[in-house]
């Protein structure tokens, strides 16, 4: 997806500013150092989410788990979900917008 002037839209980065605001990268080079760093961090965030989910399931599946362990697992899961949603938003914003003229839509069955 490109803006009217031919430049790609800003990329939402997988980290926030010190103030907690979103950070964006404006570049036309998907292979730049910062782009690769963002790609690598997104991969780490998603892998961490998978690991945390596996560990949290053990705690949450055990009815005898102490409240503090359940709370800790829940907080880590919330952090991982926040990261995963940011990755999904960033990647979704970079998807090309389909050209409606080239899109063939079949008629629905009657």
């Amino acid at each position: 997806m490109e803006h009217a002037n031919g430049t790609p839209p800003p990329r939402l980065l997988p980290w926030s500013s010190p103030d907690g605001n979103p950070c964006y990268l404006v570049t036309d080079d998907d292979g730049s150092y910062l782009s690769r760093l963002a790609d690598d961090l997104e991969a780490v965030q998603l892998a961490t989410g998978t690991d945390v989910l596996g560990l949290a399931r053990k705690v949450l599946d055990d009815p005898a788990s102490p409240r503090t362990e359940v709370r800790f697992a829940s907080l880590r899961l919330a952090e991982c979900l926040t990261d995963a949603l940011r990755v999904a938003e960033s990647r979704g914003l970079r998807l090309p917008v389909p050209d409606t003229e080239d899109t063939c839509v079949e008629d629905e069955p009657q």
Side-chain angles (χ1 to χ4, degrees), residues 3-102:
H3 287 162
N5 62 3
T7 62
R11 175 183 178 170
L12 176 63
L13 295 172
W15 55 80
S16 300
S17 72
D19 301 343
N21 295 318
C23 293
Y24 294 90
L25 173 64
V26 178
T27 183
D28 56 358
D29 181 6
D30 289 337
S32 71
Y33 174 77
L34 201 51
S35 292
R36 290 190 324 269
L37 181 65
D39 291 340
D40 291 346
L41 183 56
E42 286 180 352
V44 167
Q45 289 174 323
L46 294 175
T48 299
T50 300
D51 293 343
V52 168
L53 180 59
L55 296 169
R57 282 193 190 279
K58 293 175 186 175
V59 172
L60 299 174
D61 287 344
D62 182 358
S65 291
R67 179 182 175 277
T68 54
E69 287 184 22
V70 171
R71 178 169 164 66
F72 182 81
S74 299
L75 290 171
R76 300 300 73 84
L77 287 170
E79 291 169 354
C80 291
L81 178 58
T82 299
D83 290 343
L85 290 173
R86 181 183 291 267
V87 170
E89 179 181 3
S90 176
R91 291 180 181 182
L93 290 171
R94 290 182 279 144
L95 288 174
V97 176
D99 186 3
T100 55
E101 293 176 12
D102 292 341

